[in-house]
Amino acid sequence: MGKFDTEILEEIKDRIDIVQLVSKYVPLKRAGRNYQALCPFHQEKTPSFTVSPEKQFFHCFGCNASGDIFQFVMKMENLTFPEALEMLAKEAGVEIPPSPGYDRGKDRLYALHETAARLFHKHLLSPEGARAREMALARGIGPQAWERFQLGYAPEDWDTLRREMQDKGFSADEMLAVGLLGKREKGEPYVRFRHRLMIPIWDTKGRVVAFGGRALAPDQEPKYLNSPEHTAFKKGEILYPYHLARKAARDMGYILLVEGYMDAITCHLRGFPNALAAMGTALTPSQAKKLVRLSREVVLAYDGDEAGKKAAVRAAGLFFRLGVVPKILLLPQGEDPDSLLRTQGEEVFRGLISNAQDVVLWFMDEGEHRYDITHPGERAKWLTEAVEFLSPLEDPILQESYLAEAASRAKVTLEALKAKLQGKRKIKRVGSTYASGSWEILYLALALTRREWWSSFKGEVLRDSRAVALWNKMKGEADPSVALSLLEEDERALLVGKAMEVPWEDMEGVFLACDRRAQRGLLEEEARGLKRRMQDTAWEERTELLERYMALMKTIKGLKEEGLHETH
């Protein structure tokens, strides 16, 4: 992550109170010195979401979401740290000067794509766009939707778009770089998108960064042609149409995940504005994280064929790693959300969503159709697949519950499946091998609450493996808000949760005690070095080293009497 002006960050934090910020999203109620609410990041009936006005932190004791104003906005709006900084700076009235390394080239790319989208849309509304309009109307996509989704038409000839874009000031090289033009080994560049219904692809902010083109002629190949990846477009990070679906997903309490952008468009037009598509490719870890930030309730609405089932299994594994068990909507063979909504209507589709099955139970049912679990060998294969499927699941209670279900179906012991699972897992749960009572974790947590404490933090003394791992991710960042944003959710929850445990009036005393313990550690290291040097030094030269060693030991003794002892 790039460097950020710590003075600007501090000014933003001074101007925006976390209680007022969070209150714009969820109603808070006073609970002693803190405020509480139902967590906006997971469904719950009893409030476990706490906001501390004194520490300017939030922490959910249910799902472990935590951080300061920047992390809150990042989670609520699914923004990167720079995007959250830009949003909060605007709200606080703080001007952010462009950084020396500001990439103005991206602005040029956004302008290029926006210009192309307007030209495609103009052609859709012209006489030459008649075939594209007919296809859209046949799919129930009318004029209002053309505007809403900025749909367009790519003319059939090989040069119109290039001429129009060059008239707007964009070069052939710029268009080649983003795939609007193609180039044969020998010859002039040509327009790649021809005689296609054009769908602009947006990033999280609603900026056009790519295009998808649907073939209009029966013999036209490929059926769908997409922009190649470039600086502003990484296919594995895009969810379509994220900026339109974000609020609906939160309001409706779940995400409807579909495979293609035409599925997503049809869902939005038919009363399911919480639909998102992963660009027709296999779901990526980055996309899964973005989805879970919106809602932990996910319904997979994939095609009903074998390819769709395999895609659902792969996607489920990614969600398991985030502690989420999605549901799966079982579409009839040969149907996708787009075709089913157009032929059978919203009520049928809504019924399928209501009856969506827990993906783990679905996986077990599918296995029982393929294996005869009354036969020992077949049963062993079925159980092996079930254990492998469940191995990424990061929620231990859920994992054991599903193992118990599999054990019950197969009439084997839960202990046998747990032993099988331990043999399969390659990675232990984060945090399972670390001492929860380490003073170093507390020291690191409290340092993040004040910039002056953060700047004086003595990371070189850390020995606790978890504290070292966390520090290695954050060191080098001058501001604690930036440092926090570099951590994974569970890591941030550990530190913020630890800081929230310390009463406000005790924080300074506890931090200073930890700091004395750290100082003691540095001095003890120096003392050990002096001792080694004295052993290798001639007797007559040891006097000066011995005096320094004795002074150090006296200082260490004083710090030990005042400092905080490590607990395990």
Side-chain angles (χ1 to χ4, degrees):
M1 183 175 288
K3 299 297 181 184
F4 298 93
D5 189 322
T6 55
E7 295 300 325
I8 288 177
L9 291 168
E10 281 299 302
E11 187 175 356
I12 292 170
K13 285 186 277 189
D14 286 344
R15 294 190 186 189
I16 296 179
D17 177 69
I18 194 167
V19 173
Q20 293 178 357
L21 175 68
V22 174
S23 295
K24 294 179 180 179
Y25 294 87
V26 291
L28 293 173
K29 289 186 178 180
R30 190 92 196 191
R33 301 171 73 158
N34 297 324
Y35 289 83
Q36 287 188 330
L38 293 174
C39 181
F41 305 119
H42 80 287
Q43 291 184 325
E44 61 179 5
K45 295 181 179 179
T46 303
S48 60
F49 182 80
T50 301
V51 179
S52 169
E54 296 168 330
K55 297 164 188 169
Q56 291 291 297
F57 275 158
F58 72 91
H59 182 72
C60 176
F61 293 92
C63 69
N64 278 337
S66 55
D68 61 10
I69 58 172
F70 293 100
Q71 281 76 49
F72 182 79
V73 168
M74 286 169 69
K75 279 188 69 66
M76 287 300 297
E77 303 293 345
N78 197 26
L79 304 176
T80 62
F81 187 88
E83 289 170 340
L85 172 60
E86 182 183 336
M87 175 181 164
L88 290 174
K90 191 176 295 184
E91 184 172 328
V94 175
E95 186 176 349
I96 302 178
S99 62
Y102 177 68
D103 185 2
R104 296 190 183 278
K106 276 194 175 181
D107 285 345
R108 180 73 174 172
L109 287 179
Y110 298 139
L112 182 152
H113 283 90
E114 190 60 45
T115 301
R118 286 198 297 268
L119 290 171
F120 286 137
H121 188 68
K122 180 192 75 173
H123 288 297
L124 177 70
L125 303 179
S126 71
E128 62 184 337
R131 179 69 189 96
R133 295 196 301 273
E134 288 171 9
M135 172 175 278
L137 289 168
R139 289 173 168 265
I141 303 172
Q144 286 187 329
W146 304 344
E147 298 294 331
R148 181 179 174 187
F149 293 97
Q150 294 180 264
L151 301 186
Y153 169 69
E156 197 165 1
D157 69 83
W158 294 71
D159 204 41
T160 296
L161 180 71
R162 180 174 66 166
R163 291 197 314 270
E164 291 178 328
M165 290 292 287
Q166 286 177 330
D167 288 344
K168 299 289 184 181
F170 297 99
S171 68
D173 285 342
E174 288 177 303
M175 288 181 272
L176 278 165
V178 298
L180 284 177
L181 297 184
K183 192 172 184 180
R184 296 185 180 88
E185 198 168 322
K186 294 180 180 179
E188 287 292 308
Y190 63 91
V191 174
R192 286 183 71 237
F193 295 98
R194 299 182 308 280
H195 195 47
R196 291 178 178 271
L197 177 66
M198 299 298 292
I199 298 99
I201 306 301
W202 299 291
D203 65 8
T204 56
K205 288 187 171 182
R207 297 174 298 205
V208 181
V209 293
F211 293 96
R214 170 65 162 85
L216 294 174
D219 57 348
Q220 199 173 353
E221 292 293 338
K223 184 176 179 181
Y224 289 97
L225 178 65
N226 297 319
S227 296
E229 292 193 342
H230 53 76
T231 307
F233 174 54
K234 305 299 179 191
K235 191 179 292 187
E237 296 177 3
I238 295 289
L239 289 162
Y240 178 87
Y242 184 87
H243 72 296
L244 296 179
R246 178 171 54 198
K247 185 177 185 302
R250 289 209 174 104
D251 291 345
M252 296 172 73
Y254 75 98
I255 291 162
L256 186 64
L257 184 60
V258 299
E259 290 190 86
Y261 39 71
M262 293 306 296
D263 291 324
I265 289 173
T266 301
C267 285
H268 277 250
L269 297 178
R270 302 273 182 155
F272 303 94
N274 57 335
L276 284 160
M279 293 300 299
T281 58
L283 191 72
T284 66
S286 173
Q287 290 168 328
K289 283 184 179 180
K290 286 180 179 178
L291 290 165
V292 170
R293 286 172 189 161
L294 282 182
S295 175
R296 295 181 70 81
E297 299 293 326
V298 179
V299 176
L300 305 176
Y302 286 2
D303 296 1
D305 55 16
E306 283 304 311
K309 290 177 181 179
K310 288 179 180 178
V313 170
R314 287 194 299 268
L318 296 177
F319 287 115
F320 288 172
R321 289 181 175 86
L322 301 171
V324 170
V325 177
K327 292 181 179 180
I328 182 166
L329 187 160
L330 299 173
L331 290 165
Q333 182 73 24
E335 295 278 14
D336 57 33
D338 174 44
S339 64
L340 190 137
L341 276 166
R342 286 188 287 111
T343 58
Q344 298 189 43
E346 293 88 334
E347 288 309 310
V348 170
F349 193 61
R350 190 169 284 109
L352 289 173
I353 293 173
S354 298
N355 293 320
Q357 189 177 4
D358 178 301
V359 75
V360 179
L361 300 182
W362 165 79
F363 184 84
M364 291 182 186
D365 291 344
E366 286 284 305
E368 286 188 75
H369 292 145
R370 287 182 286 111
Y371 297 110
D372 176 8
I373 66 171
T374 64
H375 184 279
E378 295 275 291
R379 180 166 62 241
K381 290 177 182 177
W382 178 77
L383 287 170
T384 297
E385 286 188 7
V387 169
E388 288 177 346
F389 184 58
L390 285 167
S391 63
L393 184 54
E394 281 291 317
D395 187 316
I397 296 175
L398 272 175
Q399 190 178 66
E400 184 159 327
S401 297
Y402 288 121
L403 286 175
E405 172 68 20
S408 174
R409 292 190 187 198
K411 294 181 173 57
V412 298
T413 66
L414 174 60
E415 288 67 28
L417 294 190
K418 289 169 76 171
K420 181 82 170 174
L421 178 69
Q422 289 305 314
K424 288 288 180 187
R425 296 196 70 170
K426 300 288 192 295
I427 303 171
K428 291 184 176 180
R429 282 182 51 76
V430 176
S432 62
T433 59
Y434 301 99
S436 62
S438 169
W439 70 272
E440 296 177 13
I441 293 290
L442 180 60
Y443 182 35
L444 184 54
L446 292 177
L448 288 161
T449 63
R450 298 186 191 176
R451 197 176 79 179
E452 62 270 25
W453 290 355
W454 181 248
S455 62
S456 68
F457 182 75
K458 301 173 180 64
E460 63 270 31
V461 307
L462 300 178
R463 296 294 178 269
D464 179 286
S465 53
R466 184 75 194 272
V468 171
L470 294 170
W471 172 243
N472 284 339
K473 285 189 174 186
M474 297 188 289
K475 66 183 179 182
E477 292 296 345
D479 189 273
S481 291
V482 182
L484 268 175
S485 71
L486 299 176
L487 301 180
E488 296 295 329
E489 190 73 73
D490 64 320
E491 296 169 332
R492 190 160 51 246
L494 172 70
L495 295 177
V496 173
K498 186 64 70 175
M500 295 282 272
E501 291 174 7
V502 182
W504 174 254
E505 60 271 17
D506 296 340
M507 280 180 62
E508 185 166 4
V510 174
F511 176 79
L512 292 176
C514 288
D515 200 54
R516 285 194 295 270
R517 176 67 182 85
Q519 181 64 29
R520 193 182 94 198
L522 291 174
L523 295 177
E524 286 173 341
E525 186 67 34
E526 185 179 351
R528 284 192 289 270
L530 285 171
K531 196 171 183 179
R532 288 192 294 270
R533 286 174 61 192
M534 284 190 291
Q535 292 172 348
D536 299 330
T537 303
W539 176 259
E540 58 275 12
E541 298 175 8
R542 291 184 188 175
T543 304
E544 185 178 342
L545 294 176
L546 183 60
E547 288 177 357
R548 173 62 182 155
Y549 178 79
M550 295 301 292
L552 279 175
M553 295 308 295
K554 184 177 180 180
T555 304
I556 289 168
K557 183 180 178 183
L559 289 170
K560 188 176 288 189
E561 290 170 354
E562 297 177 6
L564 183 73
H565 294 273
E566 184 173 1
T567 58
H568 290 287

